[in-house]
Amino acid sequence: MRSVGICGIGHTKFGEYPGSFLTMLCQAALEAMDDAGTSGGPHHVIDQILVSTMGAGILNHQSGVASAVADALALCPAMAETVENGPASGGSALKLGYMAIASGLCDCVLVVGGDQMTRVPGPVATDFVATMLHPEAEYRLGLTLPAFVGMFTRLLMDKNGITPRDLALLAVKNHANAMLNPLAQLHKPVALSDLMDKTETRRRDRIIADPLRLYDACPISDGAAAAVLCAMDRTQALGLRTPVRIAGIASATDTHVVANRADPTRLDAVRISAQHAYQMAGLHPADVDVAELHDAFLILELAESEEAGLFPRGTSHLALRRGETAIGGRLPINPSGGLKAKGHPLGATGISQVVELVHQLRGEAGERQVPGARTGLAINFGGFGNNVVSTLVTTRKEDA
Amino acid sequence: MRSVGICGIGHTKFGEYPGSFLTMLCQAALEAMDDAGTSGGPHHVIDQILVSTMGAGILNHQSGVASAVADALALCPAMAETVENGPASGGSALKLGYMAIASGLCDCVLVVGGDQMTRVPGPVATDFVATMLHPEAEYRLGLTLPAFVGMFTRLLMDKNGITPRDLALLAVKNHANAMLNPLAQLHKPVALSDLMDKTETRRRDRIIADPLRLYDACPISDGAAAAVLCAMDRTQALGLRTPVRIAGIASATDTHVVANRADPTRLDAVRISAQHAYQMAGLHPADVDVAELHDAFLILELAESEEAGLFPRGTSHLALRRGETAIGGRLPINPSGGLKAKGHPLGATGISQVVELVHQLRGEAGERQVPGARTGLAINFGGFGNNVVSTLVTTRKEDA
C-alpha cells in the first residue's frame, strides 16, 4: 500500500463568513493548493476532490457541491464527490482521500470541507445538528445534542470525580490557546474567576443543559479547511512541498441510539478507531506529542483522551489540573483552541484538526508551537460518538 | 492493485415505498448481504459501508444516515460514510468502495443507496433535483432539469436529425423492457401509436418543456439498491459467492454551469469517464455486450451511447430504428427498463444499473436476459453531465 502525505493546508478564519458557501470552500482549497506548491497549475496535479459538509442540503439547499468546487477551481475533469458523516465529515473525507491514493487510482487528492451555520437562527442550527441523531428514536423524541451531552457530562463527572472547576479549567486552557491562533473564532481570554465563584465550587456562567454551562459548549460557526493529499512517492515528481505523512487513519461506528450502549459513558468508537489508527501506523499512545480532540462540548476532550489511551481511565482531569495538557505541558491538547474556542463549522472540523497538526509538525505554529512535536493525533467525533475518525500524522521516518 | 468484484446484489421494487427511509435502505442491503452469502454473519465480513443518497438532508431532514445503517444492520464497528454526487451518487459510492478495497484497507464493502421522492409534491421534487445545478447561476435563475433538457434535446435533434418518432421509439423499447422487470416502477406497455399521431411525425403526449413530452422523462420514485463488493482474492476465504469483476470504474467532471461549455450538445464527462474506465479495464467499446445508460430523459440514452463510443456520433438513433439496442439486438441498452420505466430514485440509480448488469452477467435476468452477456457498461450521470461515473463489469478472466 502506498504511503500518503499532506503537502498543503488551507483554513479560513472561523466565525461569520461574509461570502457564499462555494466561495468559502474555494478560499480554503486555493490556499491549500498554493501551500502545496502546485506551481505547474493544480489542474495538472489534482485527480480527485472530496468535499465534506453536513449542512449543504439542510442549511444551504444545495447538492452536487463537489462538482461546483471542481468547476470553480478549474480542476475539471478531476473526479469529485461530497462526503457526509455528521460532524466527522472532515475526517471521513480525509480517510476516503487516503484510500483513493493508497489504491493507486489517484496520486493527488484535494480534501476540502466546511459549513455555514451562522445565518440561521440558533434553534434552527440546534435542530440541524440534531438531525444526526437516530431519526426514528432520539430525534423524534426531541433530543438535542446539548441535552444529550448534559446527561453524559453528569454521568462522567459522578463516575470519575470530575468537578465543575475541571470543566472550567478546560475552557480557560482552550480559550488561552485560541488567543494564539489568528484563525480562531473566539479571541476572548477567560480566567477561572470569570467562570467560578469565590469558593471555586460553583460555576457562574448560565446553564445550557444541567450540568452544562455556556462555556462548556462550542460556538456556532462558519468556516472551511482544506488539505492536499499526495502519494509520498509522487510528491517530488509533481513538484510539491515536503509532505507530513498520514501514518494511520481509521474510523469506527457505535450504536446509533445511545441508549442501546451497555455503558453510556464509554465511547467505543473512539477507542476502536484510535486502536486501528495506531495499529496501521505502528505507533502507540506514548508516541503522541500533540493531540487535537473533538471538544464540541468540553467534557469530550477528557473522555476522548482516555479512550484514545493518552491517559489511564478516570485520570485525564488530574493531568489537566497539573497543566499537562497545556502548551508546554507533557502532552498538549487542542493547541489550536479546540472546537470550543477555535469554532466548529461541522464539515470543516476534521480537516481543521489535521491542519493544526500539520502546522505543529512543520514547526510553524508560532506562539502556540508545541516544542519538538513529531507525531499528532486527531479525533473527529460524529453523531454522539456513533461514527468517529482517528488520524495520526507524523514526521517520523516510515521504518523508524 | 487488488481486483474487486461484486458478490451480492439487492434491490427494492421502485415506485412508492411504504416504510421509512432507513428501512428501505436496510431492505436492499440485507438482500445484497444474503445474496453474497455472508453466512458466517455479515458483521464478520463487512469492513466499510457507503451509503449514497442525494435527498437525505433536503427531503428526509436526516444526516449521518450511514451511521444509522451500520447500527440497524448490526455491522458496528464497521466504518461508514454517506456519499453524495447528485443523481450519480450511487456510481460514486461504488467507485469509493472500489478504492477502499483496492487500497488494501478493506476486504469487503457494503454499498447501498436510495432516495424517497414520492412523499413530496411534484414541484418540491423538481426544485430538489434542481439543487444540483449551479447555486449561484442556474439555480438562482429558476432553471429546472426538464427546462435544461428541453433545450439540450432541441439542439441534439436539430444537429443529428433525431425525430420525435425516435424519442417515442426509446420510450416504447424501455417500457417493453420494464414489463419484464418485476422491480420496475412502470409496468405499462406503450405502443408507438400511443405516442404518435397517424402520420408518425407529431407526438400525442403532453408537452413538459418543448420538445420534451411526458413520455420522454422518468417518473418520480422511491427505491434502494445495494451491492456487496469484495477483493477478488478474498471471496473464497470469506465464503462469499463467485463475484462479477469490476474491470473499470472512473468518474469525470465538466463545467458546472452548462452555458460555459464550448458545445452544449457534447457530454465530455461521459466521454472521459468512459475512456478512463475502458483504459483501466483493458477493454474497448466493442467489448460491451449490454449497457445500462442514464436515461432520466430519453435523449440522454442516445447522447451517452455515442460519447461512450458504443456508436459513431450522430448515428445512435439509426441503430435504435434498426432495433439494435433492443433485447435480442446487437447491443441491448437498458434491458432493465432504464430510469425511464424502471424508475429513478436518485441515490439508488447508479447501484441499480450495476445490479442489472450483474443479473445479466450471471445469466439470471429471466425474460430480459441478454444472451451471452459477458461485459456490461453502466453510465451514471450527475448534475447535467457535470459529474459522471462509468463502470465496466465483466465475467472475462483478468488476463484475457
Side-chain angles (χ1 to χ4, degrees):
Chain A
M1 197 170 67
R2 295 205 298 176
S3 282
V4 179
I6 298 171
C7 294
I9 49 178
H11 202 290
T12 67
K13 173 152 169 53
F14 284 1
E16 282 186 41
Y17 189 85
S20 77
F21 185 46
L22 182 58
T23 305
M24 185 182 75
L25 294 172
C26 289
Q27 184 185 324
L30 282 166
E31 193 181 309
M33 293 192 294
D34 192 45
D35 182 57
T38 57
S39 51
H43 54 289
H44 296 300
V45 171
I46 306 289
D47 304 310
Q48 165 85 54
I49 301 157
L50 291 168
V51 174
S52 57
T53 170
M54 178 172 162
I58 294 174
L59 294 180
N60 297 85
H61 200 62
Q62 290 178 22
S63 51
V65 175
S67 314
V69 169
D71 181 32
L73 298 175
L75 295 176
C76 299
M79 306 190 282
E81 270 89 18
T82 305
V83 176
E84 191 266 322
N85 176 20
S89 296
S92 281
L94 287 168
K95 190 193 77 173
L96 293 170
Y98 185 102
M99 288 173 167
I101 295 171
S103 74
L105 286 166
C106 298
D107 282 341
C108 197
V109 175
L110 169 66
V111 181
V112 55
D115 270 303
Q116 281 188 324
M117 303 173 68
T118 68
R119 293 187 194 185
V120 297
V124 173
T126 299
D127 168 76
F128 157 62
V129 173
T131 61
M132 71 185 168
L133 299 177
H134 197 286
E136 291 162 31
E138 296 153 342
Y139 182 80
R140 283 204 181 166
L141 297 172
L143 274 172
T144 61
L145 264 289
F148 241 121
V149 181
M151 295 188 274
F152 178 85
T153 303
R154 173 64 69 210
L155 286 170
L156 206 65
M157 288 174 85
D158 287 354
K159 187 175 182 181
N160 292 342
I162 299 166
T163 64
R165 184 178 177 275
D166 292 330
L167 296 179
L169 281 175
L170 284 168
V172 170
K173 169 177 78 72
N174 290 354
H175 273 264
N177 292 352
M179 291 295 290
L180 309 175
N181 183 354
L183 300 177
Q185 179 170 359
L186 302 181
H187 283 147
K188 180 183 177 183
V190 175
L192 198 58
S193 57
D194 295 327
L195 300 181
M196 303 298 297
D197 68 4
K198 284 185 185 167
T199 66
E200 293 201 352
T201 54
R202 295 175 67 92
R203 290 277 292 269
R204 295 168 56 158
D205 46 335
R206 70 181 162 86
I207 285 184
I208 301 296
D210 185 58
L212 283 188
R213 303 272 171 160
L214 180 65
Y215 275 80
D216 292 320
C218 66
I220 288 174
S221 318
D222 303 336
V228 174
L229 274 53
C230 189
M232 296 287 282
D233 58 14
R234 289 285 294 152
T235 54
Q236 273 202 311
L238 294 171
L240 301 184
R241 185 172 181 156
T242 305
V244 168
R245 185 163 60 89
I246 301 177
I249 186 161
S251 66
T253 51
D254 197 353
T255 64
H256 202 66
V257 178
V258 176
N260 289 345
R261 296 181 194 163
D263 179 347
T265 64
R266 295 288 289 267
L267 299 171
D268 283 348
V270 175
R271 181 176 50 80
I272 295 170
S273 66
Q275 277 175 350
H276 288 177
Y278 290 130
Q279 213 162 23
M280 184 175 163
L283 294 171
H284 302 278
D287 297 317
V288 174
D289 301 312
V290 54
E292 285 285 315
L293 304 184
H294 193 111
D295 61 334
F297 300 92
L298 285 170
I299 188 79
L300 292 176
E301 180 175 314
L302 298 178
E304 291 166 18
S305 69
E306 296 177 10
E307 294 286 359
L310 302 179
F311 301 100
R313 279 189 195 288
T315 69
S316 60
H317 61 293
L318 305 176
L320 169 75
R321 291 178 196 170
R322 293 190 295 264
E324 291 183 21
T325 55
I327 296 170
R330 187 176 66 78
L331 175 50
I333 294 180
N334 287 327
S336 70
L339 285 58
K340 169 68 193 91
K342 183 186 58 182
H344 180 26
L346 304 168
T349 288
I351 304 169
S352 168
Q353 293 178 313
V354 171
V355 165
E356 174 66 13
L357 294 178
V358 170
H359 278 307
Q360 293 288 348
L361 270 53
R362 283 181 180 170
E364 62 183 30
E367 287 186 277
R368 65 184 193 283
Q369 180 66 46
V370 173
R374 294 177 63 199
T375 298
L377 169 70
I379 304 246
N380 193 195
F381 189 84
F384 189 75
N386 57 43
N387 202 331
V388 177
V389 186
S390 293
T391 306
L392 281 161
V393 288
T394 189
T395 51
R396 290 175 183 239
K397 296 281 173 220
E398 211 156 338
D399 48 3
Chain B
M1 197 173 65
R2 295 206 300 176
S3 283
V4 180
I6 298 172
C7 293
I9 50 178
H11 201 290
T12 67
K13 175 154 171 47
F14 284 1
E16 282 186 40
Y17 189 86
S20 76
F21 185 46
L22 183 58
T23 305
M24 186 181 75
L25 293 172
C26 289
Q27 184 185 323
L30 283 166
E31 194 182 307
M33 293 192 293
D34 194 44
D35 182 56
T38 56
S39 52
H43 54 287
H44 296 300
V45 172
I46 306 289
D47 305 308
Q48 166 84 54
I49 301 158
L50 291 168
V51 174
S52 56
T53 171
M54 177 173 163
I58 295 174
L59 295 180
N60 297 85
H61 200 63
Q62 291 177 23
S63 52
V65 176
S67 314
V69 169
D71 181 32
L73 297 175
L75 295 176
C76 299
M79 307 191 280
E81 270 90 17
T82 304
V83 177
E84 192 266 322
N85 175 19
S89 297
S92 282
L94 287 168
K95 189 193 79 174
L96 294 170
Y98 185 103
M99 288 172 166
I101 295 171
S103 75
L105 285 166
C106 297
D107 282 342
C108 198
V109 175
L110 169 65
V111 180
V112 55
D115 270 303
Q116 281 188 325
M117 303 174 68
T118 69
R119 293 186 194 184
V120 297
V124 173
T126 301
D127 169 75
F128 157 60
V129 173
T131 61
M132 69 183 168
L133 299 177
H134 198 286
E136 290 161 32
E138 298 153 339
Y139 182 81
R140 283 205 182 166
L141 297 172
L143 273 171
T144 62
L145 262 291
F148 241 122
V149 181
M151 295 187 272
F152 179 84
T153 303
R154 173 64 71 209
L155 286 170
L156 207 63
M157 288 174 86
D158 288 353
K159 186 175 183 181
N160 291 344
I162 299 166
T163 65
R165 184 176 178 275
D166 292 330
L167 296 178
L169 281 175
L170 285 167
V172 170
K173 168 178 78 72
N174 290 355
H175 272 265
N177 292 353
M179 291 294 290
L180 309 175
N181 183 353
L183 300 177
Q185 181 170 358
L186 302 180
H187 282 145
K188 180 182 178 185
V190 176
L192 199 57
S193 58
D194 294 329
L195 301 181
M196 303 299 295
D197 68 4
K198 283 186 184 164
T199 66
E200 293 200 351
T201 52
R202 295 175 68 90
R203 290 279 292 271
R204 294 169 55 162
D205 47 333
R206 70 180 163 84
I207 286 183
I208 301 296
D210 187 57
L212 283 189
R213 303 271 170 161
L214 180 63
Y215 275 80
D216 292 319
C218 67
I220 287 174
S221 318
D222 301 337
V228 173
L229 273 53
C230 189
M232 295 288 281
D233 60 13
R234 288 286 294 153
T235 56
Q236 273 201 312
L238 294 171
L240 302 184
R241 185 172 182 158
T242 306
V244 167
R245 185 164 60 88
I246 300 177
I249 188 161
S251 66
T253 50
D254 196 355
T255 64
H256 202 65
V257 178
V258 176
N260 289 345
R261 295 180 194 165
D263 178 347
T265 65
R266 295 289 289 267
L267 299 170
D268 284 349
V270 175
R271 181 176 51 80
I272 294 169
S273 66
Q275 277 175 350
H276 288 178
Y278 290 130
Q279 213 162 24
M280 183 175 163
L283 293 171
H284 303 277
D287 296 317
V288 175
D289 301 314
V290 54
E292 286 283 317
L293 305 184
H294 193 109
D295 60 333
F297 298 92
L298 286 170
I299 189 78
L300 292 176
E301 181 175 314
L302 298 178
E304 291 166 18
S305 69
E306 296 178 10
E307 295 286 359
L310 303 178
F311 301 102
R313 277 190 196 286
T315 70
S316 61
H317 60 293
L318 306 176
L320 169 76
R321 290 180 195 170
R322 292 190 297 263
E324 290 183 21
T325 56
I327 296 171
R330 186 177 67 78
L331 176 50
I333 294 179
N334 287 327
S336 70
L339 285 58
K340 168 67 194 93
K342 184 187 58 183
H344 181 26
L346 305 168
T349 288
I351 304 169
S352 169
Q353 294 178 312
V354 170
V355 165
E356 174 67 13
L357 294 178
V358 170
H359 277 307
Q360 292 288 348
L361 269 52
R362 284 179 179 171
E364 63 183 30
E367 288 185 276
R368 66 183 192 283
Q369 180 65 47
V370 173
R374 295 176 64 201
T375 298
L377 169 70
I379 305 248
N380 193 194
F381 189 84
F384 189 74
N386 57 44
N387 202 328
V388 177
V389 186
S390 294
T391 307
L392 281 160
V393 289
T394 189
T395 52
R396 290 175 183 237
K397 296 280 173 221
E398 212 155 335
D399 48 4

